[in-house]
Amino acid sequence: MSGPGSTAGGLGRVVMVMPTYNEVDNLAWVVGRLRAAQPDLDVLVVDDSSPDGTGELAEELAAGDSALRVLHRTEKGGLGAAYKHGFRVALDSGYDVVGEMDADGSHQPEQLHLLLDALADADLVIGSRWVPGGSVVNWPLRRELLSRGGNLYVRLLLGVSVRDATAGYRLFRASALHAIDLDTVESTGYVFQTDLVTRCLRLGLRVREVPIEFVERVRGDSKMSGQIAVESLRRVTSWGLRERRDQVSAGLARRRRR
């Protein structure tokens, strides 16, 4: 990648981590839009051994763009695992800001400036679908209800204020990722998003949401499934019950000390 010269808006060196699996129809289109919208940023593609040639295409793009780097993972380990790998490489490379976005066009590169501007007084910025001004395009009602309901469940069970804890369009300051301690993060699927925002809030970090327009992919197949949704629900429930147990234990301990 392009190294020390990659800066944006006084934030320092910025890289967008982009996991891929079977995105050969979208990758060049999305990377091209991102490079046009934010030419000062670097891009780190993390490919999970896509059988459709996405990894090979990413290498071709990187050969003509010094700001693009490709990581090849040997197995499809899940979205969270790919992000953790990319985040570690980004931190080891000395980036000041590490972002995440989908490779399917759902997260519009032309809106990334909204997140960059908001990071001036935040540790984590989330491009949110469910704050005032946010929206989704071409989603069936069932999927919108699933996302809204899942986020409501997260807020109620985990006691967090974020409206879109499952969103995947984000910018982290490197200091926030260091504080989280990625080595202790065990979630590897889509619930990884909820895990990290919850950890940030528990640490007292500054989390901001900015409204974005989320556009459903027009090419390729969505990776979201009922099985993934159930697994996310199970994980959030487990975290919530553990937190309630710890709160009860702490309350009983305080009463015994009186």
Side-chain angles (χ1 to χ4, degrees):
M1 290 183 281
S2 55
S6 300
T7 62
L11 295 172
R13 298 177 62 215
V14 183
V15 63
M16 296 302 295
V17 179
M18 188 181 297
T20 56
Y21 185 75
N22 287 349
E23 294 293 354
V24 72
D25 293 332
N26 291 309
L27 183 62
W29 171 59
V30 172
V31 169
R33 290 171 59 193
L34 178 57
R35 301 293 291 124
Q38 296 292 338
D40 293 331
L41 307 188
D42 286 346
V43 183
L44 178 59
V45 173
V46 185
D47 187 65
D48 272 8
S49 298
S50 298
D52 71 344
T54 300
E56 290 78 3
L57 173 60
E59 289 290 356
E60 293 176 13
L61 296 174
D65 187 349
S66 62
L68 175 62
R69 180 180 176 185
V70 186
L71 298 178
H72 297 278
R73 290 165 46 81
T74 57
E75 62 181 14
K76 188 175 184 296
L79 182 70
Y83 269 130
K84 283 176 63 177
H85 189 173
F87 287 176
R88 287 194 185 96
V89 170
L91 292 174
D92 290 344
S93 299
Y95 283 96
D96 301 292
V97 175
V98 182
E100 55 177 81
M101 66 182 297
D102 291 346
D104 60 7
S106 299
H107 299 142
Q108 299 179 72
E110 297 79 12
Q111 295 186 334
L112 182 55
H113 68 95
L114 301 173
L115 282 68
L116 289 165
D117 290 346
L119 197 63
D121 60 355
D123 299 295
L124 163 61
V125 174
I126 300 171
S128 177
R129 299 159 292 186
W130 309 130
V131 295
S135 62
V136 295
V137 177
N138 296 331
W139 262 20
L141 179 60
R142 182 188 66 82
R143 188 168 176 188
E144 179 172 344
L145 292 175
L146 179 64
S147 180
R148 287 183 179 273
N151 276 287
L152 175 61
Y153 188 73
V154 167
R155 291 198 301 277
L156 292 175
L157 199 62
L158 301 183
V160 299
S161 58
V162 169
R163 304 286 300 179
D164 199 351
T166 60
Y169 202 4
R170 302 180 173 194
L171 292 176
F172 292 89
R173 289 188 180 273
S175 56
L177 291 177
H178 284 302
I180 288 170
D181 188 2
L182 289 171
D183 289 337
T184 67
V185 177
E186 298 179 354
S187 51
T188 57
Y190 279 73
V191 75
F192 173 83
Q193 309 290 18
T194 302
D195 192 354
L196 260 60
V197 70
T198 302
R199 287 169 180 257
C200 284
L201 291 168
R202 298 288 186 264
L203 289 168
L205 301 180
R206 301 166 299 171
V207 178
R208 287 192 59 189
E209 291 182 273
V210 296
I212 61 162
E213 180 186 66
F214 180 97
V215 182
E216 176 64 355
R217 66 162 65 234
V218 296
R219 293 188 292 265
D221 298 321
S222 172
K223 310 305 186 294
M224 179 58 70
S225 67
Q227 182 179 358
I228 289 173
V230 170
E231 170 62 15
S232 297
L233 181 65
R234 186 186 67 80
R235 280 293 189 104
V236 170
T237 302
S238 174
W239 294 336
L241 292 176
R242 182 176 61 196
E243 187 163 319
R244 296 295 184 273
R245 181 197 63 199
D246 292 344
Q247 289 173 347
V248 170
S249 297
L252 291 174
R254 286 194 297 270
R255 291 182 63 182
R256 284 194 294 267
R257 289 195 296 266
R258 291 175 182 170

